[in-house]
Amino acid sequence: MSAKRLNLIQVYRGLAAVLVVLAHTDLIYNQNLNQNFLFKITTFGGSGVDFFFVLSGFIMFYIHQKDIGHQNQLGTFLFKRFTRIYPLYWVVLTSKIFASFILFDKSNIKDIGIGEFIKAFLLFPQDRQILSSTFLGVSWTLSFEIFFYLMFALLIALKPQFSFPIIIAWLSGVFFHFIGILQLPPNNILLQFVFSELNLEFVLGCFAAYALLSQKISNGIPFIYVGIFLYTLSAIDYFYKFLGVSSVMTFGIACTLLVVGGASLELRKTINVPNLLLFLGNASYSIYLAHGFFINQITKVLKKLPFNIFQNLVFADVLGFIFAIIAIICGCLIYLYIEKPLLTFFKPKAVTT
């Protein structure tokens, strides 16, 4: 089965980015204004990260499953992944650090050692508090992306008889840590990262692609309905904390069903997707990287006004939506004028996914 471009997957990426923007609007409201955004209803939008992880696993296996065990494809694969993640990330990260140092509070940057800067630029696992206060708060998720790419690269670099035992051993450790059998030092960031339960969401995405490519799914509609139902229940549970279980068990499974259903549906018939939704999907990475900076600085600037424009809660919520829209528009502009030219520059060797 050829790797047909799936527009619904792009729509999902745009949706995931918007969910994260809304969740971070509430987070920034709490940090900068000591108040909630829209009664904290949008906090479940952090599940956009779970969605991104499942989508990444799906896309990698859907596009590159034929490369598994073929070492000659390793260089091309790594180059594609490198150019997809790092160039734009470095541009946004450098711009954020520069703006923070020149225009805003310098204390956080001055207190950070050179080693932390190196880790941030390489996307090596770091303390999330350092990332959110000094670098890009979302970069912790990119560290998981890079690690997943490296594990997938292992499948390409080695023959299955060698790579599969390594992957199975690693996933066994992740699973045993997930269910509490494997205990790791709580302060060891690297071990907690390598065996984090979030890695299972990439695997769920790979399983979704495997099921799709094996043509084991004939009708995607039931998967979409069940996925929407479970996602809604997961959002309610996130707000009320009824179950108290991991997001892998709630949003991760729901997102997997949505991906399976949407991809299966589109492989069997043409789905007319509005151009705006496709564009948001294409711009999702830029939106994801840059939105927090814009919302954060807008609220900080307006907070300094001689009168409190956030005093009226309804007006404050309306402003929050406006800030989110502005951040999304800024992300789209970054996509058009920075990310897209970068992708074009690397296009002879790297194809975007």
Side-chain angles (χ1 to χ4, degrees):
M1 182 184 296
S2 61
K4 173 186 175 183
R5 183 175 177 85
L6 302 174
N7 289 331
L8 284 178
I9 297 301
Q10 287 297 94
V11 172
Y12 284 159
R13 290 173 62 174
L15 174 62
V18 171
L19 286 172
V20 173
V21 171
L22 292 175
H24 285 169
T25 301
D26 177 76
L27 177 65
I28 293 170
Y29 258 46
N30 275 269
Q31 290 177 344
N32 293 349
L33 307 174
N34 197 29
Q35 65 187 68
N36 297 326
F37 167 65
L38 204 64
F39 308 103
K40 301 192 76 65
I41 292 175
T42 63
T43 53
F44 81 93
S47 61
V49 172
D50 302 284
F51 216 158
F52 273 127
F53 286 176
V54 173
L55 285 167
S56 292
F58 174 86
I59 292 170
M60 284 305 98
F61 195 90
Y62 179 71
I63 299 295
H64 295 288
Q65 54 87 26
K66 61 183 180 300
D67 298 329
I68 293 176
H70 297 279
Q71 188 178 18
N72 61 316
Q73 296 298 318
L74 180 62
T76 301
F77 172 81
L78 290 175
F79 186 80
K80 286 181 180 180
R81 296 303 98 211
F82 176 89
T83 56
R84 189 68 183 92
I85 296 294
Y86 279 106
L88 180 64
Y89 170 71
W90 284 337
V91 170
V92 175
L93 176 60
T94 302
S95 301
K96 195 265 185 182
I97 293 173
F98 180 80
S100 298
F101 188 79
I102 299 299
L103 302 175
F104 306 107
D105 183 17
K106 306 175 185 178
S107 59
N108 288 335
I109 293 179
K110 287 183 177 179
D111 294 337
I112 298 297
I114 187 65
E116 296 300 330
F117 276 88
I118 294 174
K119 288 180 182 179
F121 275 88
L122 294 180
L123 287 173
F124 196 81
Q126 284 178 279
D127 188 305
R128 287 174 60 176
Q129 182 60 39
I130 295 177
L131 292 175
S132 61
S133 62
T134 307
F135 303 112
L136 289 180
V138 298
S139 59
W140 69 271
T141 64
L142 300 183
S143 298
F144 279 101
E145 290 278 352
I146 295 298
F147 181 64
F148 169 63
Y149 295 159
L150 292 175
M151 297 306 289
F152 201 94
L154 190 65
L155 292 173
I156 298 175
L158 302 177
K159 294 297 181 183
Q161 60 264 37
F162 300 113
S163 62
F164 281 12
I166 297 174
I167 297 297
I168 291 172
W170 165 61
L171 289 178
S172 297
V174 173
F175 179 74
F176 289 139
H177 181 231
F178 175 52
I179 62 177
I181 293 178
L182 176 63
Q183 300 294 325
L184 300 173
N187 295 326
N188 192 313
I189 294 176
L190 185 58
L191 282 178
Q192 292 289 340
F193 171 82
V194 169
F195 294 103
S196 170
E197 63 197 45
L198 293 174
N199 290 303
L200 295 174
E201 294 182 328
F202 295 102
V203 179
L204 287 174
C206 290
F207 281 146
Y210 174 78
L212 191 73
L213 293 170
S214 300
Q215 302 186 43
K216 297 180 182 295
I217 300 171
S218 58
N219 185 4
I221 295 295
F223 288 89
I224 293 177
Y225 286 156
V226 176
I228 292 174
F229 177 72
L230 289 181
Y231 203 104
T232 303
L233 288 182
S234 300
I236 295 173
D237 177 68
Y238 186 90
F239 190 81
Y240 290 103
K241 309 295 183 184
F242 289 134
L243 298 178
V245 297
S246 166
S247 63
V248 175
M249 298 295 295
T250 54
F251 290 113
I253 293 176
C255 292
T256 302
L257 293 175
L258 288 171
V259 170
V260 168
S264 176
L265 184 65
E266 192 165 12
L267 281 178
R268 283 159 179 79
K269 66 177 183 178
T270 301
I271 306 295
N272 294 320
V273 177
N275 290 332
L276 176 61
L277 296 182
L278 278 178
F279 180 79
L280 285 176
N282 293 335
S284 59
Y285 185 43
S286 292
I287 294 171
Y288 185 70
L289 285 180
H291 71 275
F293 175 80
F294 291 109
I295 298 174
N296 189 31
Q297 301 312 325
I298 291 172
T299 55
K300 283 183 177 180
V301 169
L302 294 181
K303 184 182 178 181
K304 294 179 180 179
L305 293 175
F307 50 91
N308 185 4
I309 64 173
F310 299 101
Q311 188 172 7
N312 184 295
L313 296 182
V314 175
F315 186 61
D317 288 339
V318 172
L319 285 177
F321 275 112
I322 295 174
F323 300 160
I325 292 172
I326 291 174
I328 291 171
I329 292 173
C330 290
C332 290
L333 292 175
I334 290 173
Y335 166 71
L336 285 174
Y337 296 107
I338 299 178
E339 181 183 1
K340 200 171 181 181
L342 283 172
L343 294 175
T344 301
F345 176 79
F346 291 113
K347 192 173 183 179
K349 293 183 179 180
V351 180
T352 61
T353 58

